[in-house]
Amino acid sequence: MAEESAGGQNRTNAFVVSARKRFIQRVTKTVGEGTLLAIASFVAIVVIFIFYFVAKDAIPFFQIRGFQEFFTTTGWYPADDPAKFGAFAIIYGSLMVTLGSALIAVPMGVAAAICLSDILPFSIRQYAKPVIEMLAAIPSVAFGFFALVVLAPLLQEKGGLLMMWAWWLIAAPFMTLMIIIFADLLTTNIADPKRRKQLNLLLTALFGLIGVALLYRVGSVLSSIQILTGTNALNVSIILSFMALPTIVSVSEDALQAVGRDLREGSYALGATRAETIMKTILPAASSGILAAVILGIMRALGETMVVWMASGNSAHIPEPFFNYFEAVRTLTATIAGDMGEADQVTGSARFHVLFAMGLLLLVISFICNLVSERIVVRQRKILSGQ
Amino acid sequence: MMKKLLLLAFFLSFAVGATANAADKTIVLDGSTTVGPIAKSFATYFTRKFGIRVTVSESGSGNGAKSLINHTCSIATLSRPMKAEELAAAKKIGVNPVAHVIALDGLAMVVHPGNPVRSLTKAQISSIYRGTVTNWQEVGGPNARIVVIQRESNSGTEDSFKELVVGKGVQITRNAETQASNGAVKNRVSTTPGAIGFLGLGFVDRSVKSVAVNGIAPTIPSVKNGTYPVTRPLYFYTDGAPSGPVKQFIELSKTADGRRMISELGFVNQ
């Protein structure tokens, strides 16, 4: 009897934790959770603090000089007497190089992501993706050096030729595709197969001729362009697009992978070709992720400083005509970097605070971008889940 | 874990101790990219001769002045005299900047080696930088647009150039490109056929072509006797009268070795 009870005691002892141990467990749990919470909230607080301190030094500028000069005029002479703080051309320059880099990086990045996720075999993808991601590990000053020392002289000497080749490389496959599709579309309603084939051939030849003429004409126009200065918006856009590429490729590839086998195989089972599956099933399903990738990439381009400071030419004017990418521009980030040294708190207050006003503007722009992308992702998810 | 932390703490305290010790024996220079080469070769010489470490940063004259005011350097190198505002800011917190002229420098106007223009007047250069002259044809060159290259607002070279050539209170054209250092300007001018820029005399080499100003070529004799119109002194600034190694370092510019280093770098002794 006594033995049995002792045995029972032993058995329950194995599961009952002593009060002291329980206490220790509770304390460690509280401390652990508290630490994690503190670290997490610290990160959030840092963001708020950055906003606060940038705004604190930015607001005096608007108090001194008002909004109109900063946002609507283009004279940027912070060091002159009297000083001018017209930042419109600089804001425009920032938007211009960001747009330029997005125009290059987004189609390239999304196409590369599609290729990686749906076209290349797994064994190649395993190696290709890390190589692309390695682009992100190159320090921006190395990109800047390349832009200034290699790309700028190259654009001056062979800019037109390079653009002609780029145009041919990009346009030729696209046009071939378009010609085939249009010729098919236009002849698809003809009942007689023999006549259809003849007409198809005729149309293809006709479109082909127009296409070749277009290729040649635009190519020769491009090749005749003489670029006056290589440190211009085009140079920076190209380099920034390379810097944004790894983000765009990597994040969109993840989004495409997340679509999953079931949707792909469902599409194939319904008789869709691979092109149809990619265009009509996978891309729409992954569009929110791709959009997030694009916005992340654009933010990288907008916030980059070293490359633009070294290679954009830094002249605070709006190019003529306004879409002329062959002229030097100046961006917000480069202006902050370049004018910071002289602009001490103790000398010239508006000159110091205007840089914070620019910083605040950049913060607000990226904040809005983030909000928008967040919004789109949420709405896309709702549509996909059928609500 | 604990052991690792202790080890880390040990190394950290060691590192702090090491920097504190080094601070007594280190001379820190900060400022102009133009004075940079002189400061660096002085530093190498000084370290070799006296065993005192000298660190040289080149962040622009404005930053140099700021560093001196904020006590983060013992000598500020400037390619222009300190401005009234900077002196006022220094006085306010009890810093007393003392100027030492160590050398003279001519600002050379440089163009691409393929540019046939040999000489420009000060007025022509001024119109180019004001944006009223935009084609080389207007100043006796080929029919090509001028790519105007200036330095950033942080640069003492830019300040000197504005004061000596363009004129005070005159705005440089907003089409002018801005580069961050003498080296970057040289690089851009040497690779851009239509470019014009300005460099400290010591930076001019065969990759660019310097043009005569008002008919006088930027050479060491013409800078020294003051006939070259774009000449300026280069400064070391200290907080109060220098003493000890800092004084020794500044007086290097008056020794035979110092003068040799200055002229070897393409600058001009007083």
mmCIF file with all atom_site columns, all heavy atoms in Angstrom, chain A residues 74 77 80 156 229 231 313-315 317 339 342 344, chain B residues 62-63 66 83 153 162 172 174-178 191:
data_model
loop_
_atom_site.group_PDB
_atom_site.id
_atom_site.type_symbol
_atom_site.label_atom_id
_atom_site.label_alt_id
_atom_site.label_comp_id
_atom_site.label_asym_id
_atom_site.label_entity_id
_atom_site.label_seq_id
_atom_site.pdbx_PDB_ins_code
_atom_site.Cartn_x
_atom_site.Cartn_y
_atom_site.Cartn_z
_atom_site.occupancy
_atom_site.B_iso_or_equiv
_atom_site.pdbx_formal_charge
_atom_site.auth_seq_id
_atom_site.auth_comp_id
_atom_site.auth_asym_id
_atom_site.auth_atom_id
_atom_site.pdbx_PDB_model_num
ATOM 1   N N   . THR A 1 74  ? 12.737 77.668 -59.769 1.00 0.00 ? 74  THR A N   1
ATOM 2   C CA  . THR A 1 74  ? 13.814 76.748 -60.130 1.00 0.00 ? 74  THR A CA  1
ATOM 3   C C   . THR A 1 74  ? 15.210 77.292 -59.845 1.00 0.00 ? 74  THR A C   1
ATOM 4   O O   . THR A 1 74  ? 16.195 76.662 -60.194 1.00 0.00 ? 74  THR A O   1
ATOM 5   C CB  . THR A 1 74  ? 13.742 76.397 -61.624 1.00 0.00 ? 74  THR A CB  1
ATOM 6   O OG1 . THR A 1 74  ? 13.807 77.611 -62.355 1.00 0.00 ? 74  THR A OG1 1
ATOM 7   C CG2 . THR A 1 74  ? 12.479 75.651 -61.963 1.00 0.00 ? 74  THR A CG2 1
ATOM 8   N N   . TYR A 1 77  ? 20.309 78.709 -55.556 1.00 0.00 ? 77  TYR A N   1
ATOM 9   C CA  . TYR A 1 77  ? 21.571 79.374 -55.238 1.00 0.00 ? 77  TYR A CA  1
ATOM 10  C C   . TYR A 1 77  ? 21.671 79.550 -53.727 1.00 0.00 ? 77  TYR A C   1
ATOM 11  O O   . TYR A 1 77  ? 21.566 80.664 -53.221 1.00 0.00 ? 77  TYR A O   1
ATOM 12  C CB  . TYR A 1 77  ? 21.657 80.728 -55.948 1.00 0.00 ? 77  TYR A CB  1
ATOM 13  C CG  . TYR A 1 77  ? 21.717 80.591 -57.445 1.00 0.00 ? 77  TYR A CG  1
ATOM 14  C CD1 . TYR A 1 77  ? 20.603 80.814 -58.228 1.00 0.00 ? 77  TYR A CD1 1
ATOM 15  C CD2 . TYR A 1 77  ? 22.905 80.221 -58.069 1.00 0.00 ? 77  TYR A CD2 1
ATOM 16  C CE1 . TYR A 1 77  ? 20.660 80.671 -59.603 1.00 0.00 ? 77  TYR A CE1 1
ATOM 17  C CE2 . TYR A 1 77  ? 22.962 80.083 -59.438 1.00 0.00 ? 77  TYR A CE2 1
ATOM 18  C CZ  . TYR A 1 77  ? 21.843 80.309 -60.196 1.00 0.00 ? 77  TYR A CZ  1
ATOM 19  O OH  . TYR A 1 77  ? 21.903 80.158 -61.560 1.00 0.00 ? 77  TYR A OH  1
ATOM 20  N N   . ASP A 1 80  ? 24.615 81.905 -52.492 1.00 0.00 ? 80  ASP A N   1
ATOM 21  C CA  . ASP A 1 80  ? 24.769 83.264 -52.986 1.00 0.00 ? 80  ASP A CA  1
ATOM 22  C C   . ASP A 1 80  ? 24.105 84.266 -52.043 1.00 0.00 ? 80  ASP A C   1
ATOM 23  O O   . ASP A 1 80  ? 23.440 83.908 -51.090 1.00 0.00 ? 80  ASP A O   1
ATOM 24  C CB  . ASP A 1 80  ? 24.157 83.384 -54.387 1.00 0.00 ? 80  ASP A CB  1
ATOM 25  C CG  . ASP A 1 80  ? 25.066 82.796 -55.434 1.00 0.00 ? 80  ASP A CG  1
ATOM 26  O OD1 . ASP A 1 80  ? 25.953 82.014 -55.033 1.00 0.00 ? 80  ASP A OD1 1
ATOM 27  O OD2 . ASP A 1 80  ? 24.900 83.084 -56.612 1.00 0.00 ? 80  ASP A OD2 1
ATOM 28  N N   . GLN A 1 156 ? 29.308 59.691 -74.265 1.00 0.00 ? 156 GLN A N   1
ATOM 29  C CA  . GLN A 1 156 ? 29.687 60.827 -75.091 1.00 0.00 ? 156 GLN A CA  1
ATOM 30  C C   . GLN A 1 156 ? 30.230 60.388 -76.441 1.00 0.00 ? 156 GLN A C   1
ATOM 31  O O   . GLN A 1 156 ? 29.937 60.979 -77.461 1.00 0.00 ? 156 GLN A O   1
ATOM 32  C CB  . GLN A 1 156 ? 30.753 61.664 -74.372 1.00 0.00 ? 156 GLN A CB  1
ATOM 33  C CG  . GLN A 1 156 ? 30.170 62.569 -73.321 1.00 0.00 ? 156 GLN A CG  1
ATOM 34  C CD  . GLN A 1 156 ? 31.186 62.997 -72.299 1.00 0.00 ? 156 GLN A CD  1
ATOM 35  O OE1 . GLN A 1 156 ? 30.812 63.478 -71.254 1.00 0.00 ? 156 GLN A OE1 1
ATOM 36  N NE2 . GLN A 1 156 ? 32.460 62.810 -72.581 1.00 0.00 ? 156 GLN A NE2 1
ATOM 37  N N   . THR A 1 229 ? 27.076 65.740 -72.857 1.00 0.00 ? 229 THR A N   1
ATOM 38  C CA  . THR A 1 229 ? 27.724 65.421 -71.592 1.00 0.00 ? 229 THR A CA  1
ATOM 39  C C   . THR A 1 229 ? 27.262 64.064 -71.082 1.00 0.00 ? 229 THR A C   1
ATOM 40  O O   . THR A 1 229 ? 26.066 63.769 -71.073 1.00 0.00 ? 229 THR A O   1
ATOM 41  C CB  . THR A 1 229 ? 27.477 66.516 -70.534 1.00 0.00 ? 229 THR A CB  1
ATOM 42  O OG1 . THR A 1 229 ? 27.862 66.017 -69.272 1.00 0.00 ? 229 THR A OG1 1
ATOM 43  C CG2 . THR A 1 229 ? 26.029 66.938 -70.472 1.00 0.00 ? 229 THR A CG2 1
ATOM 44  N N   . THR A 1 231 ? 27.598 62.769 -68.050 1.00 0.00 ? 231 THR A N   1
ATOM 45  C CA  . THR A 1 231 ? 27.015 62.725 -66.707 1.00 0.00 ? 231 THR A CA  1
ATOM 46  C C   . THR A 1 231 ? 25.630 63.363 -66.807 1.00 0.00 ? 231 THR A C   1
ATOM 47  O O   . THR A 1 231 ? 25.472 64.548 -66.594 1.00 0.00 ? 231 THR A O   1
ATOM 48  C CB  . THR A 1 231 ? 27.865 63.508 -65.708 1.00 0.00 ? 231 THR A CB  1
ATOM 49  O OG1 . THR A 1 231 ? 28.199 64.758 -66.284 1.00 0.00 ? 231 THR A OG1 1
ATOM 50  C CG2 . THR A 1 231 ? 29.127 62.776 -65.348 1.00 0.00 ? 231 THR A CG2 1
ATOM 51  N N   . GLY A 1 313 ? 25.707 64.868 -62.913 1.00 0.00 ? 313 GLY A N   1
ATOM 52  C CA  . GLY A 1 313 ? 26.093 66.190 -63.384 1.00 0.00 ? 313 GLY A CA  1
ATOM 53  C C   . GLY A 1 313 ? 25.709 67.295 -62.422 1.00 0.00 ? 313 GLY A C   1
ATOM 54  O O   . GLY A 1 313 ? 26.326 68.341 -62.418 1.00 0.00 ? 313 GLY A O   1
ATOM 55  N N   . ASN A 1 314 ? 24.678 67.071 -61.624 1.00 0.00 ? 314 ASN A N   1
ATOM 56  C CA  . ASN A 1 314 ? 24.289 68.022 -60.578 1.00 0.00 ? 314 ASN A CA  1
ATOM 57  C C   . ASN A 1 314 ? 24.096 69.440 -61.079 1.00 0.00 ? 314 ASN A C   1
ATOM 58  O O   . ASN A 1 314 ? 24.656 70.375 -60.517 1.00 0.00 ? 314 ASN A O   1
ATOM 59  C CB  . ASN A 1 314 ? 25.336 68.066 -59.456 1.00 0.00 ? 314 ASN A CB  1
ATOM 60  C CG  . ASN A 1 314 ? 25.468 66.746 -58.764 1.00 0.00 ? 314 ASN A CG  1
ATOM 61  O OD1 . ASN A 1 314 ? 24.467 66.176 -58.347 1.00 0.00 ? 314 ASN A OD1 1
ATOM 62  N ND2 . ASN A 1 314 ? 26.685 66.245 -58.660 1.00 0.00 ? 314 ASN A ND2 1
ATOM 63  N N   . SER A 1 315 ? 23.328 69.637 -62.133 1.00 0.00 ? 315 SER A N   1
ATOM 64  C CA  . SER A 1 315 ? 22.991 71.019 -62.420 1.00 0.00 ? 315 SER A CA  1
ATOM 65  C C   . SER A 1 315 ? 21.500 71.213 -62.195 1.00 0.00 ? 315 SER A C   1
ATOM 66  O O   . SER A 1 315 ? 20.682 70.509 -62.772 1.00 0.00 ? 315 SER A O   1
ATOM 67  C CB  . SER A 1 315 ? 23.410 71.443 -63.819 1.00 0.00 ? 315 SER A CB  1
ATOM 68  O OG  . SER A 1 315 ? 22.976 70.519 -64.757 1.00 0.00 ? 315 SER A OG  1
ATOM 69  N N   . HIS A 1 317 ? 18.654 72.428 -62.985 1.00 0.00 ? 317 HIS A N   1
ATOM 70  C CA  . HIS A 1 317 ? 17.774 73.052 -63.957 1.00 0.00 ? 317 HIS A CA  1
ATOM 71  C C   . HIS A 1 317 ? 16.879 71.978 -64.556 1.00 0.00 ? 317 HIS A C   1
ATOM 72  O O   . HIS A 1 317 ? 17.168 70.785 -64.472 1.00 0.00 ? 317 HIS A O   1
ATOM 73  C CB  . HIS A 1 317 ? 18.583 73.723 -65.065 1.00 0.00 ? 317 HIS A CB  1
ATOM 74  C CG  . HIS A 1 317 ? 19.224 72.749 -65.995 1.00 0.00 ? 317 HIS A CG  1
ATOM 75  N ND1 . HIS A 1 317 ? 20.184 71.849 -65.584 1.00 0.00 ? 317 HIS A ND1 1
ATOM 76  C CD2 . HIS A 1 317 ? 19.016 72.498 -67.303 1.00 0.00 ? 317 HIS A CD2 1
ATOM 77  C CE1 . HIS A 1 317 ? 20.551 71.108 -66.624 1.00 0.00 ? 317 HIS A CE1 1
ATOM 78  N NE2 . HIS A 1 317 ? 19.862 71.473 -67.666 1.00 0.00 ? 317 HIS A NE2 1
ATOM 79  N N   . ASP A 1 339 ? 25.436 69.754 -50.357 1.00 0.00 ? 339 ASP A N   1
ATOM 80  C CA  . ASP A 1 339 ? 25.391 71.070 -49.734 1.00 0.00 ? 339 ASP A CA  1
ATOM 81  C C   . ASP A 1 339 ? 25.468 71.015 -48.221 1.00 0.00 ? 339 ASP A C   1
ATOM 82  O O   . ASP A 1 339 ? 25.448 72.040 -47.551 1.00 0.00 ? 339 ASP A O   1
ATOM 83  C CB  . ASP A 1 339 ? 24.109 71.812 -50.155 1.00 0.00 ? 339 ASP A CB  1
ATOM 84  C CG  . ASP A 1 339 ? 24.227 72.345 -51.570 1.00 0.00 ? 339 ASP A CG  1
ATOM 85  O OD1 . ASP A 1 339 ? 25.368 72.518 -52.014 1.00 0.00 ? 339 ASP A OD1 1
ATOM 86  O OD2 . ASP A 1 339 ? 23.200 72.579 -52.207 1.00 0.00 ? 339 ASP A OD2 1
ATOM 87  N N   . GLU A 1 342 ? 28.712 72.821 -46.018 1.00 0.00 ? 342 GLU A N   1
ATOM 88  C CA  . GLU A 1 342 ? 28.800 74.250 -45.772 1.00 0.00 ? 342 GLU A CA  1
ATOM 89  C C   . GLU A 1 342 ? 27.662 74.749 -44.889 1.00 0.00 ? 342 GLU A C   1
ATOM 90  O O   . GLU A 1 342 ? 27.772 75.798 -44.269 1.00 0.00 ? 342 GLU A O   1
ATOM 91  C CB  . GLU A 1 342 ? 28.767 74.972 -47.121 1.00 0.00 ? 342 GLU A CB  1
ATOM 92  C CG  . GLU A 1 342 ? 29.177 76.399 -47.062 1.00 0.00 ? 342 GLU A CG  1
ATOM 93  C CD  . GLU A 1 342 ? 30.683 76.547 -47.181 1.00 0.00 ? 342 GLU A CD  1
ATOM 94  O OE1 . GLU A 1 342 ? 31.431 75.616 -46.833 1.00 0.00 ? 342 GLU A OE1 1
ATOM 95  O OE2 . GLU A 1 342 ? 31.108 77.600 -47.618 1.00 0.00 ? 342 GLU A OE2 1
ATOM 96  N N   . ASP A 1 344 ? 26.061 74.792 -41.958 1.00 0.00 ? 344 ASP A N   1
ATOM 97  C CA  . ASP A 1 344 ? 26.055 74.505 -40.528 1.00 0.00 ? 344 ASP A CA  1
ATOM 98  C C   . ASP A 1 344 ? 24.924 75.261 -39.859 1.00 0.00 ? 344 ASP A C   1
ATOM 99  O O   . ASP A 1 344 ? 24.441 76.248 -40.372 1.00 0.00 ? 344 ASP A O   1
ATOM 100 C CB  . ASP A 1 344 ? 27.395 74.941 -39.927 1.00 0.00 ? 344 ASP A CB  1
ATOM 101 C CG  . ASP A 1 344 ? 27.689 74.163 -38.667 1.00 0.00 ? 344 ASP A CG  1
ATOM 102 O OD1 . ASP A 1 344 ? 26.740 73.570 -38.123 1.00 0.00 ? 344 ASP A OD1 1
ATOM 103 O OD2 . ASP A 1 344 ? 28.845 74.141 -38.244 1.00 0.00 ? 344 ASP A OD2 1
ATOM 104 N N   . GLY B 2 62  ? 34.718 74.233 -46.319 1.00 0.00 ? 62  GLY B N   1
ATOM 105 C CA  . GLY B 2 62  ? 33.622 74.499 -45.390 1.00 0.00 ? 62  GLY B CA  1
ATOM 106 C C   . GLY B 2 62  ? 33.597 73.497 -44.248 1.00 0.00 ? 62  GLY B C   1
ATOM 107 O O   . GLY B 2 62  ? 33.465 73.845 -43.075 1.00 0.00 ? 62  GLY B O   1
ATOM 108 N N   . ASN B 2 63  ? 33.768 72.232 -44.605 1.00 0.00 ? 63  ASN B N   1
ATOM 109 C CA  . ASN B 2 63  ? 33.791 71.194 -43.578 1.00 0.00 ? 63  ASN B CA  1
ATOM 110 C C   . ASN B 2 63  ? 34.990 71.339 -42.661 1.00 0.00 ? 63  ASN B C   1
ATOM 111 O O   . ASN B 2 63  ? 34.912 71.048 -41.473 1.00 0.00 ? 63  ASN B O   1
ATOM 112 C CB  . ASN B 2 63  ? 33.816 69.811 -44.218 1.00 0.00 ? 63  ASN B CB  1
ATOM 113 C CG  . ASN B 2 63  ? 32.433 69.333 -44.567 1.00 0.00 ? 63  ASN B CG  1
ATOM 114 O OD1 . ASN B 2 63  ? 31.463 69.736 -43.933 1.00 0.00 ? 63  ASN B OD1 1
ATOM 115 N ND2 . ASN B 2 63  ? 32.342 68.503 -45.575 1.00 0.00 ? 63  ASN B ND2 1
ATOM 116 N N   . LYS B 2 66  ? 34.249 73.922 -40.198 1.00 0.00 ? 66  LYS B N   1
ATOM 117 C CA  . LYS B 2 66  ? 33.275 73.374 -39.252 1.00 0.00 ? 66  LYS B CA  1
ATOM 118 C C   . LYS B 2 66  ? 33.959 72.454 -38.247 1.00 0.00 ? 66  LYS B C   1
ATOM 119 O O   . LYS B 2 66  ? 33.681 72.507 -37.054 1.00 0.00 ? 66  LYS B O   1
ATOM 120 C CB  . LYS B 2 66  ? 32.214 72.597 -40.038 1.00 0.00 ? 66  LYS B CB  1
ATOM 121 C CG  . LYS B 2 66  ? 30.906 72.484 -39.330 1.00 0.00 ? 66  LYS B CG  1
ATOM 122 C CD  . LYS B 2 66  ? 29.795 72.215 -40.313 1.00 0.00 ? 66  LYS B CD  1
ATOM 123 C CE  . LYS B 2 66  ? 29.513 70.741 -40.448 1.00 0.00 ? 66  LYS B CE  1
ATOM 124 N NZ  . LYS B 2 66  ? 28.376 70.480 -41.320 1.00 0.00 ? 66  LYS B NZ  1
ATOM 125 N N   . LYS B 2 83  ? 35.284 82.671 -43.548 1.00 0.00 ? 83  LYS B N   1
ATOM 126 C CA  . LYS B 2 83  ? 34.271 83.700 -43.780 1.00 0.00 ? 83  LYS B CA  1
ATOM 127 C C   . LYS B 2 83  ? 33.893 84.363 -42.466 1.00 0.00 ? 83  LYS B C   1
ATOM 128 O O   . LYS B 2 83  ? 34.090 83.799 -41.384 1.00 0.00 ? 83  LYS B O   1
ATOM 129 C CB  . LYS B 2 83  ? 33.026 83.052 -44.386 1.00 0.00 ? 83  LYS B CB  1
ATOM 130 C CG  . LYS B 2 83  ? 33.261 82.509 -45.764 1.00 0.00 ? 83  LYS B CG  1
ATOM 131 C CD  . LYS B 2 83  ? 32.036 81.758 -46.239 1.00 0.00 ? 83  LYS B CD  1
ATOM 132 C CE  . LYS B 2 83  ? 32.279 81.138 -47.591 1.00 0.00 ? 83  LYS B CE  1
ATOM 133 N NZ  . LYS B 2 83  ? 31.229 80.182 -47.944 1.00 0.00 ? 83  LYS B NZ  1
ATOM 134 N N   . SER B 2 153 ? 29.051 73.731 -53.561 1.00 0.00 ? 153 SER B N   1
ATOM 135 C CA  . SER B 2 153 ? 29.036 74.955 -52.749 1.00 0.00 ? 153 SER B CA  1
ATOM 136 C C   . SER B 2 153 ? 29.951 74.832 -51.544 1.00 0.00 ? 153 SER B C   1
ATOM 137 O O   . SER B 2 153 ? 30.273 75.809 -50.886 1.00 0.00 ? 153 SER B O   1
ATOM 138 C CB  . SER B 2 153 ? 27.613 75.239 -52.283 1.00 0.00 ? 153 SER B CB  1
ATOM 139 O OG  . SER B 2 153 ? 27.184 74.244 -51.391 1.00 0.00 ? 153 SER B OG  1
ATOM 140 N N   . LYS B 2 162 ? 34.669 82.114 -57.766 1.00 0.00 ? 162 LYS B N   1
ATOM 141 C CA  . LYS B 2 162 ? 33.591 83.102 -57.854 1.00 0.00 ? 162 LYS B CA  1
ATOM 142 C C   . LYS B 2 162 ? 34.122 84.486 -57.535 1.00 0.00 ? 162 LYS B C   1
ATOM 143 O O   . LYS B 2 162 ? 33.799 85.463 -58.207 1.00 0.00 ? 162 LYS B O   1
ATOM 144 C CB  . LYS B 2 162 ? 32.489 82.736 -56.863 1.00 0.00 ? 162 LYS B CB  1
ATOM 145 C CG  . LYS B 2 162 ? 31.387 81.904 -57.492 1.00 0.00 ? 162 LYS B CG  1
ATOM 146 C CD  . LYS B 2 162 ? 30.122 82.025 -56.673 1.00 0.00 ? 162 LYS B CD  1
ATOM 147 C CE  . LYS B 2 162 ? 29.546 80.690 -56.334 1.00 0.00 ? 162 LYS B CE  1
ATOM 148 N NZ  . LYS B 2 162 ? 28.529 80.709 -55.322 1.00 0.00 ? 162 LYS B NZ  1
ATOM 149 N N   . ILE B 2 172 ? 26.045 81.819 -61.052 1.00 0.00 ? 172 ILE B N   1
ATOM 150 C CA  . ILE B 2 172 ? 26.575 80.931 -62.087 1.00 0.00 ? 172 ILE B CA  1
ATOM 151 C C   . ILE B 2 172 ? 25.390 80.248 -62.757 1.00 0.00 ? 172 ILE B C   1
ATOM 152 O O   . ILE B 2 172 ? 24.396 79.937 -62.098 1.00 0.00 ? 172 ILE B O   1
ATOM 153 C CB  . ILE B 2 172 ? 27.550 79.920 -61.458 1.00 0.00 ? 172 ILE B CB  1
ATOM 154 C CG1 . ILE B 2 172 ? 28.842 80.642 -61.085 1.00 0.00 ? 172 ILE B CG1 1
ATOM 155 C CG2 . ILE B 2 172 ? 27.837 78.762 -62.405 1.00 0.00 ? 172 ILE B CG2 1
ATOM 156 C CD1 . ILE B 2 172 ? 29.884 79.775 -60.467 1.00 0.00 ? 172 ILE B CD1 1
ATOM 157 N N   . ARG B 2 174 ? 22.532 78.003 -64.226 1.00 0.00 ? 174 ARG B N   1
ATOM 158 C CA  . ARG B 2 174 ? 21.996 76.787 -63.610 1.00 0.00 ? 174 ARG B CA  1
ATOM 159 C C   . ARG B 2 174 ? 22.243 75.560 -64.470 1.00 0.00 ? 174 ARG B C   1
ATOM 160 O O   . ARG B 2 174 ? 21.982 74.441 -64.040 1.00 0.00 ? 174 ARG B O   1
ATOM 161 C CB  . ARG B 2 174 ? 20.520 76.963 -63.270 1.00 0.00 ? 174 ARG B CB  1
ATOM 162 C CG  . ARG B 2 174 ? 19.646 77.341 -64.427 1.00 0.00 ? 174 ARG B CG  1
ATOM 163 C CD  . ARG B 2 174 ? 18.236 77.605 -63.978 1.00 0.00 ? 174 ARG B CD  1
ATOM 164 N NE  . ARG B 2 174 ? 18.133 78.813 -63.158 1.00 0.00 ? 174 ARG B NE  1
ATOM 165 C CZ  . ARG B 2 174 ? 16.978 79.406 -62.859 1.00 0.00 ? 174 ARG B CZ  1
ATOM 166 N NH1 . ARG B 2 174 ? 15.858 78.889 -63.266 1.00 0.00 ? 174 ARG B NH1 1
ATOM 167 N NH2 . ARG B 2 174 ? 16.952 80.499 -62.132 1.00 0.00 ? 174 ARG B NH2 1
ATOM 168 N N   . ASN B 2 175 ? 22.746 75.760 -65.684 1.00 0.00 ? 175 ASN B N   1
ATOM 169 C CA  . ASN B 2 175 ? 23.111 74.602 -66.504 1.00 0.00 ? 175 ASN B CA  1
ATOM 170 C C   . ASN B 2 175 ? 24.475 74.034 -66.121 1.00 0.00 ? 175 ASN B C   1
ATOM 171 O O   . ASN B 2 175 ? 24.863 72.979 -66.607 1.00 0.00 ? 175 ASN B O   1
ATOM 172 C CB  . ASN B 2 175 ? 23.148 74.984 -67.974 1.00 0.00 ? 175 ASN B CB  1
ATOM 173 C CG  . ASN B 2 175 ? 21.764 75.276 -68.509 1.00 0.00 ? 175 ASN B CG  1
ATOM 174 O OD1 . ASN B 2 175 ? 20.791 74.677 -68.068 1.00 0.00 ? 175 ASN B OD1 1
ATOM 175 N ND2 . ASN B 2 175 ? 21.679 76.220 -69.426 1.00 0.00 ? 175 ASN B ND2 1
ATOM 176 N N   . ALA B 2 176 ? 25.201 74.752 -65.269 1.00 0.00 ? 176 ALA B N   1
ATOM 177 C CA  . ALA B 2 176 ? 26.542 74.297 -64.912 1.00 0.00 ? 176 ALA B CA  1
ATOM 178 C C   . ALA B 2 176 ? 26.463 72.983 -64.139 1.00 0.00 ? 176 ALA B C   1
ATOM 179 O O   . ALA B 2 176 ? 25.642 72.826 -63.232 1.00 0.00 ? 176 ALA B O   1
ATOM 180 C CB  . ALA B 2 176 ? 27.239 75.354 -64.070 1.00 0.00 ? 176 ALA B CB  1
ATOM 181 N N   . GLU B 2 177 ? 27.338 72.051 -64.513 1.00 0.00 ? 177 GLU B N   1
ATOM 182 C CA  . GLU B 2 177 ? 27.406 70.792 -63.768 1.00 0.00 ? 177 GLU B CA  1
ATOM 183 C C   . GLU B 2 177 ? 28.261 70.980 -62.524 1.00 0.00 ? 177 GLU B C   1
ATOM 184 O O   . GLU B 2 177 ? 29.169 71.814 -62.505 1.00 0.00 ? 177 GLU B O   1
ATOM 185 C CB  . GLU B 2 177 ? 28.004 69.693 -64.637 1.00 0.00 ? 177 GLU B CB  1
ATOM 186 C CG  . GLU B 2 177 ? 27.114 69.315 -65.796 1.00 0.00 ? 177 GLU B CG  1
ATOM 187 C CD  . GLU B 2 177 ? 27.650 68.112 -66.552 1.00 0.00 ? 177 GLU B CD  1
ATOM 188 O OE1 . GLU B 2 177 ? 28.566 67.439 -66.040 1.00 0.00 ? 177 GLU B OE1 1
ATOM 189 O OE2 . GLU B 2 177 ? 27.133 67.868 -67.634 1.00 0.00 ? 177 GLU B OE2 1
ATOM 190 N N   . THR B 2 178 ? 27.995 70.190 -61.513 1.00 0.00 ? 178 THR B N   1
ATOM 191 C CA  . THR B 2 178 ? 28.721 70.316 -60.260 1.00 0.00 ? 178 THR B CA  1
ATOM 192 C C   . THR B 2 178 ? 29.469 69.023 -59.977 1.00 0.00 ? 178 THR B C   1
ATOM 193 O O   . THR B 2 178 ? 28.883 67.949 -60.050 1.00 0.00 ? 178 THR B O   1
ATOM 194 C CB  . THR B 2 178 ? 27.746 70.597 -59.104 1.00 0.00 ? 178 THR B CB  1
ATOM 195 O OG1 . THR B 2 178 ? 26.897 71.670 -59.484 1.00 0.00 ? 178 THR B OG1 1
ATOM 196 C CG2 . THR B 2 178 ? 28.491 70.962 -57.856 1.00 0.00 ? 178 THR B CG2 1
ATOM 197 N N   . THR B 2 191 ? 37.526 63.914 -70.297 1.00 0.00 ? 191 THR B N   1
ATOM 198 C CA  . THR B 2 191 ? 36.760 62.987 -71.129 1.00 0.00 ? 191 THR B CA  1
ATOM 199 C C   . THR B 2 191 ? 35.643 63.668 -71.907 1.00 0.00 ? 191 THR B C   1
ATOM 200 O O   . THR B 2 191 ? 34.968 63.016 -72.695 1.00 0.00 ? 191 THR B O   1
ATOM 201 C CB  . THR B 2 191 ? 36.141 61.865 -70.268 1.00 0.00 ? 191 THR B CB  1
ATOM 202 O OG1 . THR B 2 191 ? 35.402 62.462 -69.204 1.00 0.00 ? 191 THR B OG1 1
ATOM 203 C CG2 . THR B 2 191 ? 37.210 60.958 -69.697 1.00 0.00 ? 191 THR B CG2 1
#
